[in-house]
Amino acid sequence: MGVLMNASHESLRDNFEVSCKEIDVLVELAKSYGDGVYGSQITGGGFGGCTVTLLRQKDVDGLIRHLKEGYKEKLGLDCSCFVTDAGDGSRVIQL
């Protein structure tokens, strides 16, 4: 899954040109964190905004520190991080 996420980001960046420097920095920082990160990519409508990163639960706090410190160092800006869990996906709900 992580390999596909990374390839998706590269395609969105290179083929569709919908990424930007700020997003690319976040993706590269996430990928540089180490073995705990499986993949990272732009999410949403493109042209800035957010990334989604798939990683081991035990690495969440360390990655957040890494992203905040690296983003500040590389761009002079603060970034916000939100921790989420995967949902069940689409399904029929009986009302």
Side-chain angles (χ1 to χ4, degrees), residues 15-54:
N15 299 325
F16 295 95
E17 299 178 348
V18 295
S19 192
C20 62
K21 178 180 179 179
E22 293 82 2
I23 292 296
D24 293 339
V25 165
L26 284 173
V27 168
E28 290 307 315
L29 284 167
K31 289 169 43 180
S32 74
Y33 181 72
D35 293 336
V37 171
Y38 303 117
S40 188
Q41 72 175 76
I42 189 172
T43 189
F47 306 106
C50 293
T51 62
V52 62
T53 301
L54 183 63

Side-chain angles (χ1 to χ4, degrees), residues 7-8 11 14-15 17 20 23 27 32-33 36-37 44 50 52 54-56 61 63 67 70 76 79-80 84 89 92:
S8 174
S11 175
D14 300 338
N15 299 325
E17 299 178 348
C20 62
I23 292 296
V27 168
S32 74
Y33 181 72
V37 171
C50 293
V52 62
L54 183 63
L55 68 150
R56 288 187 304 218
D61 293 336
L63 176 64
L67 291 175
C79 71
S80 298
T84 62
V92 175

Side-chain angles (χ1 to χ4, degrees), residues 34-95:
D35 293 336
V37 171
Y38 303 117
S40 188
Q41 72 175 76
I42 189 172
T43 189
F47 306 106
C50 293
T51 62
V52 62
T53 301
L54 183 63
L55 68 150
R56 288 187 304 218
Q57 179 69 38
K58 70 179 188 173
D59 290 307
V60 169
D61 293 336
L63 176 64
I64 289 173
R65 278 191 302 278
H66 180 72
L67 291 175
K68 288 179 177 268
E69 291 169 3
Y71 199 75
K72 186 72 163 183
E73 178 184 312
K74 291 181 180 294
L75 299 174
L77 300 169
D78 295 320
C79 71
S80 298
C81 298
F82 306 93
V83 178
T84 62
D85 292 315
D88 292 335
S90 298
R91 62 193 178 285
V92 175
I93 298 175
Q94 297 298 322
L95 299 177

Side-chain angles (χ1 to χ4, degrees), residues 2-13 15 40-41:
V3 171
L4 295 174
M5 290 176 74
N6 292 336
S8 174
H9 179 75
E10 292 166 9
S11 175
L12 289 165
R13 180 193 64 211
N15 299 325
S40 188
Q41 72 175 76

